[in-house]
Amino acid sequence: MFRCLKCGQEYKNSTTHCANCGSLLYDQRNDTIGYEKPKLSLDKKFVLKMILLLATILFVLGIFSLISSCIDNSAPDSKSIDKMTNKEFNQFMEWKKEQNQKDYNESSLNSSK
């Protein structure tokens, strides 16, 4: 049995606070006052919150990138026509025809309703 340094009350090794005065007790095993488990500091809490926020943002950005990759982005690069090679120009014209055909089909379907 040990005694509280402040009031002299006896205590067991496993207690951390004096039952009489409430002060932290001297731990004679490792020569420290009080031997409670250290609480998480505000800095660590802040870091944990920031990590959680970053993980949430990355998750949301991942969802948006997944959705955008599913959307048809088949338009050719926005090079000027002057800088296109013949092959690129022909591909652009084919794409433009397909887009015009889709637009025409959609407009004819909407007008028939």
Side-chain angles (χ1 to χ4, degrees):
M1 294 284 273
F2 301 102
R3 293 193 177 274
C4 175
L5 296 175
K6 190 171 185 179
C7 68
Q9 177 76 28
E10 288 187 356
Y11 62 92
K12 297 179 182 177
N13 281 344
S14 61
T15 57
T16 58
H17 290 85
C18 178
N20 188 34
C21 68
S23 64
L24 280 173
L25 298 173
Y26 178 73
D27 183 5
Q28 294 177 353
R29 290 173 293 175
N30 58 11
D31 202 27
T32 59
I33 294 180
Y35 46 96
E36 295 179 327
K37 181 180 175 185
K39 295 181 180 176
L40 198 60
S41 70
L42 290 177
D43 294 334
K44 289 182 181 177
K45 287 181 182 178
F46 178 75
V47 169
L48 288 176
K49 286 179 183 178
M50 289 297 113
I51 289 172
L52 182 62
L53 178 65
L54 181 63
T56 304
I57 290 171
L58 289 175
F59 177 75
V60 170
L61 288 175
I63 295 296
F64 281 126
S65 67
L66 179 66
I67 290 171
S68 67
S69 68
C70 294
I71 296 173
D72 183 26
N73 292 327
S74 60
D77 294 337
S78 59
K79 286 184 177 180
S80 69
I81 293 179
D82 297 337
K83 294 180 181 178
M84 288 184 178
T85 63
N86 285 339
K87 183 178 179 182
E88 290 172 331
F89 181 74
N90 290 336
Q91 288 174 342
F92 174 75
M93 294 307 291
E94 287 296 319
W95 175 81
K96 191 67 176 164
K97 285 180 192 176
E98 290 172 9
Q99 293 301 312
N100 289 340
Q101 188 64 40
K102 284 180 185 177
D103 292 342
Y104 176 75
N105 291 343
E106 288 175 2
S107 64
S108 65
L109 285 175
N110 290 336
S111 64
S112 66
K113 288 183 180 180

